[in-house]
Amino acid sequence: MGLFAGTKWDDSFHCDRCGVLQADCRCPPSPPSPKDPADQKLRIAIEKRKGGRVVTTIRGFFADDPALAERLTQLKNHCGAGGSREADMIVIQGDQRLRAAELLKQLGYHVT
């Protein structure tokens, strides 16, 4: 007998889609919803890496945002430079602060 048995909190946790108990549910997980750009506050900075190379870093993205890979591609194309993704950060080669900020503001992000 459970702690909440017989009370209003005694819930058997059913799946919202098929109505079966969560333990027995075979529904695939729902795809992650895209995050609203207005909720993300991005910080753009430049860093000097070894060998004197300069890169532009953009921090503040939601790490689980499904559109993050698309943003990386858009930034690389807009800036005309290479880049990569590291967790919640995008790295673009060279000093691309102004170009990156311009594109991100057009996409609806808060940029500082």
Side-chain angles (χ1 to χ4, degrees), residues 8-95:
K8 66 178 181 179
W9 295 285
D10 184 23
D11 190 14
S12 54
F13 301 105
H14 289 81
C15 175
D16 295 334
R17 289 183 272 173
C18 64
V20 178
L21 289 174
Q22 286 284 37
D24 300 330
C25 177
R26 300 288 182 238
C27 295
S30 59
S33 61
K35 307 296 183 185
D36 186 24
D39 295 340
Q40 301 180 47
K41 294 185 178 159
L42 306 180
R43 296 187 181 274
I44 299 178
I46 57 169
E47 291 181 4
K48 248 187 178 177
R49 302 249 169 130
K50 69 178 186 177
R53 294 179 309 211
V54 176
V55 295
T56 302
T57 59
I58 306 166
R59 301 173 195 264
F61 288 103
F62 293 134
D64 60 340
D65 190 358
L68 192 54
E70 182 183 335
R71 297 293 171 258
L72 173 61
T73 303
Q74 289 175 332
L75 281 165
K76 290 189 326 186
N77 290 336
H78 185 74
C79 296
S84 65
R85 175 182 164 199
E86 299 172 5
D88 67 336
M89 178 174 67
I90 287 181
V91 178
I92 304 292
Q93 296 173 352
D95 185 357

